[in-house]
Amino acid sequence: MAKESYIRFETPKEIGDKAYELVKVAGASGKLAKGTNEVTKMIERSEAKLVVIAEDVQPPEILEHIPMLCEEKNIPYVYVKNKQELGKSAGINKNASSVAVIIPGKGEPILNEIVAAVSSIKR
C-alpha cells in the first residue's frame, strides 16, 4: 500500500497497539470523540489529549487536515494500521477514521507513555 499523504511518520507496532488499548480504556472510563468531524472540533478547541488516526482510510483527503491541525495546536497524534480495529476499540460497530482522546480516565499512564514515545519518534 502506498504511503498516504497524511501519514507523516511511521508508528511502531507496539505504540499502535498501545493506542488501540488507550482508546478502549478511555472509552470505558473517560471520554472520546469519534469520526473526523468530531475529532476536528476537539482539536480546534484544544480539548484533545491525543489523536489516533487510521492509516487505511479512503479517500485519504478525509484526514489530510488532521496532522496539520494537531501540529498547529500542539496536540500529539499517532497512527494505527486499521480503521476497523480502531472503531472496535472505540466501542462502535463500524470503522473509525480517527479518534480523539478527550479524557483518558484510567488510560492516563498509557497516554503518557504514547505521548513520550511519539515525541521521540517525530524528532
Side-chain angles (χ1 to χ4, degrees):
M1 187 165 92
K3 187 174 171 191
E4 300 298 351
S5 55
Y6 63 88
I7 300 174
R8 297 183 172 206
F9 59 89
E10 187 71 34
T11 301
K13 182 183 181 331
E14 62 272 11
I15 300 302
D17 290 346
K18 284 189 185 302
Y20 288 130
E21 184 186 347
L22 171 62
V23 168
K24 192 175 282 185
V25 172
S29 65
K31 184 178 175 191
L32 299 173
K34 304 164 204 141
T36 306
N37 291 341
E38 288 301 310
V39 169
T40 301
K41 282 184 217 167
M42 293 300 109
I43 296 167
E44 287 172 341
R45 295 177 188 160
S46 297
E47 290 182 31
K49 304 283 184 274
L50 176 76
V51 175
V52 183
I53 306 166
E55 290 183 357
D56 62 342
V57 174
Q58 290 299 326
E61 294 78 30
I62 295 170
L63 295 175
E64 277 185 342
H65 67 288
I66 300 267
M68 285 185 291
L69 257 181
C70 285
E71 288 176 5
E72 200 177 285
K73 296 285 188 175
N74 214 13
I75 294 170
Y77 61 97
V78 66
Y79 299 99
V80 293
K81 297 284 181 219
N82 190 281
K83 62 187 176 194
Q84 192 171 4
E85 183 72 24
L86 184 55
K88 199 169 98 183
S89 295
I92 55 179
N93 290 329
K94 57 184 183 176
N95 298 338
S97 56
S98 57
V99 172
V101 176
I102 311 303
I103 301 169
K106 293 178 181 164
E108 185 92 40
I110 306 168
L111 172 72
N112 294 337
E113 194 178 330
I114 293 169
V115 169
V118 168
S119 63
S120 68
I121 293 166
K122 286 177 68 181
R123 295 213 191 291

